[in-house]
Coordinates of all heavy atoms in Angstrom, one line a residue:
Chain B
C97 N -16.1 -17.6 0.0 CA -17.4 -17.0 -0.3 C -18.1 -18.0 -1.3 O -17.5 -18.5 -2.2 CB -17.2 -15.6 -0.9 SG -18.7 -14.9 -1.5
F98 N -19.4 -18.1 -1.2 CA -20.2 -18.9 -2.1 C -21.0 -17.9 -3.0 O -21.5 -16.9 -2.5 CB -21.2 -19.8 -1.4 CG -20.5 -20.8 -0.5 CD1 -20.6 -20.7 0.9 CD2 -19.8 -21.9 -1.0 CE1 -20.0 -21.6 1.8 CE2 -19.2 -22.8 -0.1 CZ -19.3 -22.7 1.3
N99 N -21.3 -18.3 -4.2 CA -22.2 -17.6 -5.1 C -23.6 -18.2 -4.9 O -23.9 -19.3 -5.4 CB -21.7 -17.6 -6.5 CG -22.6 -16.7 -7.4 OD1 -23.5 -16.1 -7.0 ND2 -22.1 -16.5 -8.6
M100 N -24.4 -17.4 -4.2 CA -25.8 -17.9 -3.9 C -26.8 -17.6 -4.9 O -28.0 -17.9 -4.8 CB -26.2 -17.4 -2.6 CG -25.3 -17.8 -1.3 SD -25.6 -17.0 0.2 CE -27.3 -17.4 0.5
R101 N -26.4 -16.9 -6.1 CA -27.3 -16.5 -7.1 C -27.7 -17.7 -7.9 O -28.7 -17.6 -8.7 CB -26.7 -15.4 -7.9 CG -26.3 -14.2 -7.2 CD -25.6 -13.2 -8.1 NE -25.1 -12.1 -7.4 CZ -23.9 -12.1 -6.8 NH1 -23.1 -13.2 -6.8 NH2 -23.5 -11.1 -6.1
F240 N -18.7 -16.5 -10.7 CA -17.9 -17.4 -9.8 C -18.8 -18.4 -9.1 O -20.0 -18.2 -9.0 CB -17.1 -16.6 -8.8 CG -17.9 -15.9 -7.8 CD1 -18.0 -16.5 -6.5 CD2 -18.5 -14.7 -8.0 CE1 -18.8 -15.9 -5.6 CE2 -19.3 -14.1 -7.1 CZ -19.5 -14.7 -5.8
F259 N -22.1 -5.9 3.3 CA -21.7 -7.2 2.7 C -22.9 -8.1 2.5 O -22.8 -9.0 1.6 CB -20.8 -8.0 3.6 CG -19.4 -7.4 3.8 CD1 -18.6 -7.8 4.8 CD2 -19.0 -6.4 2.9 CE1 -17.3 -7.2 4.9 CE2 -17.7 -5.8 3.1 CZ -16.9 -6.2 4.1
S262 N -29.5 -7.1 0.8 CA -29.8 -7.4 -0.6 C -29.7 -6.2 -1.5 O -29.4 -6.3 -2.7 CB -31.3 -7.9 -0.7 OG -32.2 -7.1 -0.2
D265 N -26.5 -6.0 -3.5 CA -26.2 -6.9 -4.6 C -26.4 -6.3 -5.9 O -27.3 -6.5 -6.6 CB -27.1 -8.2 -4.4 CG -26.8 -9.2 -5.5 OD1 -25.7 -9.2 -6.0 OD2 -27.6 -10.1 -5.7
N271 N -22.0 -7.1 -1.7 CA -22.8 -8.3 -1.4 C -22.4 -9.3 -2.4 O -23.2 -9.7 -3.3 CB -24.3 -8.0 -1.4 CG -25.1 -9.3 -1.1 OD1 -24.6 -10.4 -0.9 ND2 -26.4 -9.1 -0.9
R272 N -21.2 -9.8 -2.3 CA -20.7 -10.7 -3.4 C -21.3 -12.0 -3.4 O -21.6 -12.6 -4.5 CB -19.2 -10.8 -3.2 CG -18.5 -9.6 -3.7 CD -17.0 -9.9 -4.1 NE -16.3 -8.6 -4.5 CZ -15.2 -8.2 -4.0 NH1 -14.6 -8.9 -3.0 NH2 -14.6 -7.1 -4.5
P273 N -21.7 -12.6 -2.3 CA -22.4 -13.9 -2.3 C -23.8 -13.8 -3.0 O -24.4 -14.8 -3.4 CB -22.5 -14.3 -0.9 CG -22.2 -13.1 0.0 CD -21.4 -12.2 -0.9
G274 N -24.3 -12.5 -3.0 CA -25.7 -12.3 -3.6 C -26.8 -12.8 -2.7 O -27.8 -13.4 -3.2
I275 N -26.6 -12.7 -1.5 CA -27.6 -13.2 -0.5 C -28.8 -12.2 -0.5 O -28.6 -11.0 -0.4 CB -27.0 -13.4 0.9 CG1 -28.1 -13.9 1.9 CG2 -26.4 -12.1 1.5 CD1 -27.5 -14.5 3.2
H276 N -30.0 -12.8 -0.6 CA -31.2 -12.0 -0.6 C -32.1 -12.8 0.5 O -32.7 -13.8 0.2 CB -32.0 -12.0 -1.9 CG -31.3 -11.2 -2.9 ND1 -31.8 -10.0 -3.3 CD2 -30.1 -11.3 -3.5 CE1 -31.0 -9.4 -4.2 NE2 -29.9 -10.2 -4.4
N277 N -32.2 -12.2 1.7 CA -32.9 -12.8 2.7 C -33.7 -11.7 3.5 O -33.1 -10.9 4.2 CB -31.9 -13.6 3.6 CG -32.6 -14.3 4.8 OD1 -33.5 -13.8 5.4 ND2 -32.3 -15.6 5.0
P312 N -23.4 -17.6 3.8 CA -22.8 -17.0 2.5 C -21.3 -17.1 2.4 O -20.8 -17.1 1.4 CB -23.4 -15.6 2.6 CG -23.5 -15.3 4.0 CD -23.9 -16.6 4.7

Side-chain angles (χ1 to χ4, degrees):
Chain B
C97 176
F98 299 109
N99 189 348
M100 297 168 62
R101 298 174 189 87
F240 66 96
F259 293 167
S262 57
D265 181 20
N271 180 354
R272 286 201 180 128
I275 181 169
H276 288 249
N277 182 312

